[in-house]
Amino acid sequence: MFHHMTIAGLERDLPICPVNENLSIAGFVIFGDQALTVACARELLAKAPEYDYILTAEAKGIPLAHEMARQAGDEKYILARKAPKLYMRDLFEVSVHSITTAKEQTLYLDGADAALMKGKRILIVDDVISTGESLAALEALVAKAGGVIAGRMAILAEGDAQERQDLIYLEKLPLFHPDGSVMA
């Protein structure tokens, strides 16, 4: 089963994936889809508020943040990691549970990146926002670092995220019944 949609002018078929016995979602992955990543970055930048740094969470937001930063001429974007790395110092961390993650996970921010964020306008970007849990974790990291949220952007808004007035996104992504039909 697939859900056909047009995103940033490109047509894609997204596989319908079960989350539990009552809910399925359309799997959206931009990894390896260079044309889609470039097009989505271009369209999001056209809608973006002024910012100093782009922030995303590992992993699916990385290609989008990278391409947005490249197109905008930014020298750096900031990444919240799912695990601390040896090079990271003075860690900032928050816990998150998203719809696509089977268990709670923690997001980590390097202290040097946190220092860059202090007093700066931070644009949070991700591929899909659904429950808003990952977004809330990124917002908490920005607050902990002393940054100011300039905006929240995603390629797709799923479920309740479609109603958020503080979210800029390109397309709505419905939720699905286990048989692949769209939930009303």
Side-chain angles (χ1 to χ4, degrees), residues 43-143:
E43 287 203 17
L44 285 171
L45 282 170
K47 299 177 178 214
E50 288 189 34
Y51 66 91
D52 296 303
Y53 293 105
I54 291 172
L55 171 68
T56 195
E58 189 174 38
K60 288 175 22 180
I62 295 172
L64 177 63
H66 178 88
E67 182 60 22
M68 287 178 72
R70 188 193 71 75
Q71 288 184 26
D74 300 341
E75 291 186 21
K76 180 173 180 61
Y77 63 91
I78 298 171
L79 175 62
R81 305 295 303 253
K82 289 183 180 177
K85 302 299 179 187
L86 293 175
Y87 62 83
M88 297 172 81
R89 301 284 184 262
D90 305 319
L91 293 175
F92 283 56
E93 63 182 76
V94 293
S95 294
V96 63
H97 187 276
S98 74
I99 193 170
T100 56
T101 305
K103 59 184 175 62
E104 185 174 87
Q105 64 183 354
T106 303
L107 291 178
Y108 299 89
L109 188 62
D110 186 281
D113 287 337
L116 287 175
M117 291 169 54
K118 186 171 184 169
K120 299 296 185 187
R121 299 167 297 179
I122 309 302
L123 179 61
I124 299 172
V125 301
D126 208 348
D127 62 335
V128 179
I129 295 179
S130 184
T131 64
E133 292 295 321
S134 297
L135 181 62
L138 289 170
E139 290 171 342
L141 283 173
V142 171

Side-chain angles (χ1 to χ4, degrees), residues 3 5 24-26 157-159 162 172-176 182-183:
H3 176 66
M5 64 185 303
S24 292
I25 61 173
E158 183 176 60
Q162 297 170 11
K172 293 181 177 183
L173 183 63
L175 296 173
F176 300 87
V182 174
M183 289 185 165

